[in-house]
Amino acid sequence: MKKMPLKTILVLGILFFLPVLFLLMLYPSTHNYNPLDIVDDSVGELQFFSSNSDEQVQLKDHITILGFLGNEPLDHVIAASNLKELVYDKFKGFKTFQIVIVLPKGTEDKALQLQKEINNYEDMRFWYYAFGEPNDIAKVFNSLKSEESLDENFFTDHVFIIDKDLAQRGRIDDREDKELEQNKTTYPLYSYDCIEVAEVKNKMSDDLRILFTEYRQKRKGKFDSSSRRAEDLKETK
């Protein structure tokens, strides 16, 4: 039997062990990521709201995207479509994930029309509408940390990430790498603008992945880092 040349053995050895070494280098880093910051830990539950579901819609024990489309939801089809196509379609298979759109009572028919505009006959089981009185909508919104405000029709094109413990998630420091290098003033990201496709597609999608990773690691007992809270922001200013 002809002996294999030493050069061939070395090449095969490198081809075999290089991917293994690469994976070993990556492995420790899987546990050392920054969890998604807690920017508010007292989000109001949807206690006095009806819904389009047979079951009571609630935020507790769910990972929720919470939106407010106001008295005229059909005027905001673009915001709803962006949310549906860029977020809902991507994450609807994840356990406990849901999108909840808050609307004033009396807009139930408009919600049905909006649903027809955006669903394309797809599975919308995890997309809910919650209908409430104006004061209850304001109460829930005011429990959120936001640099935006609801308009007179109870609308905003910004949506919020709420975790299973009724804590609002976001970014305490949303500076880009270049801004960090230039030591620019810290600024947060409390909510996500549905009209800005890049913000929803990139920042919001990335933040949701981080949050799902956090809960997955918690289930496996591997999560050993605490989320930063909004109070930390005061120390960075």
Side-chain angles (χ1 to χ4, degrees):
M1 182 178 179
K2 190 174 181 180
K3 192 173 181 179
M4 187 178 295
L6 180 60
K7 185 177 180 180
T8 302
I9 294 175
L10 288 174
V11 171
L12 290 175
I14 291 172
L15 290 174
F16 176 78
F17 286 108
L18 193 59
V20 175
L21 289 173
F22 179 71
L23 290 173
L24 289 174
M25 290 173 65
L26 284 179
Y27 180 75
S29 66
T30 59
H31 304 296
N32 296 316
Y33 73 100
N34 291 324
L36 191 59
D37 301 329
I38 293 174
V39 299
D40 181 16
D41 57 7
S42 57
V43 178
E45 182 59 274
L46 303 174
Q47 292 182 336
F48 305 108
F49 288 75
S50 59
S51 74
N52 64 323
S53 171
D54 294 334
E55 300 178 3
Q56 176 67 33
V57 175
Q58 64 177 30
L59 306 181
K60 179 71 173 174
D61 299 324
H62 293 82
I63 294 175
T64 305
I65 304 301
L66 186 64
F68 300 80
L69 290 188
N71 285 312
E72 301 296 336
L74 288 168
D75 290 347
H76 309 295
V77 172
I78 293 176
S81 295
N82 288 344
L83 192 59
K84 190 262 180 188
E85 294 173 9
L86 301 176
V87 179
Y88 180 82
D89 288 350
K90 186 180 296 184
F91 294 100
K92 64 183 178 182
F94 285 80
K95 189 175 182 181
T96 73
F97 173 73
Q98 63 180 4
I99 288 182
V100 177
I101 303 299
V102 173
L103 299 170
K105 285 187 175 179
T107 61
E108 287 82 356
D109 289 341
K110 294 177 183 178
L112 285 174
Q113 294 177 52
L114 178 65
Q115 192 84 335
K116 292 177 182 178
E117 288 283 343
I118 66 173
N119 72 4
N120 296 322
Y121 303 101
E122 295 181 15
D123 180 7
M124 298 290 283
R125 287 177 296 163
F126 313 107
W127 179 295
Y128 301 103
Y129 297 96
F131 305 97
E133 299 293 346
N135 60 319
D136 292 322
I137 294 174
K139 185 176 180 180
V140 172
F141 185 84
N142 291 336
S143 72
L144 299 162
K145 187 174 287 291
S146 177
E147 294 181 321
E148 307 298 319
S149 59
L150 291 178
D151 68 12
E152 64 276 8
N153 291 314
F154 301 97
F155 164 77
T156 176
D157 53 19
H158 283 244
V159 296
F160 305 82
I161 296 178
I162 314 299
D163 71 16
K164 296 181 181 182
D165 299 308
L166 296 180
Q168 179 184 345
R169 298 298 190 102
R171 301 185 184 189
I172 291 174
D173 187 352
D174 191 37
R175 290 176 294 175
E176 304 290 342
D177 291 341
K178 188 175 182 180
E179 294 173 312
L180 288 168
E181 292 172 2
Q182 296 173 350
N183 200 28
K184 295 288 187 180
T185 303
T186 301
Y187 58 88
L189 180 67
Y190 297 141
S191 58
Y192 307 81
D193 190 344
C194 286
I195 300 299
E196 297 294 333
V197 172
E199 184 165 301
V200 176
K201 189 175 181 179
N202 298 323
K203 291 184 178 182
M204 189 175 182
S205 292
D206 286 348
D207 289 354
L208 277 171
R209 287 193 188 95
I210 291 171
L211 186 56
F212 281 117
T213 298
E214 175 184 325
Y215 277 106
R216 184 167 60 250
Q217 290 193 353
K218 283 180 177 178
R219 288 197 302 271
K220 295 180 179 179
K222 297 179 180 179
F223 184 73
D224 58 2
S225 178
S226 297
S227 300
R228 292 187 300 170
R229 296 176 181 269
E231 287 79 5
D232 299 337
L233 183 59
K234 300 175 184 177
E235 301 175 6
T236 63
K237 289 186 176 179

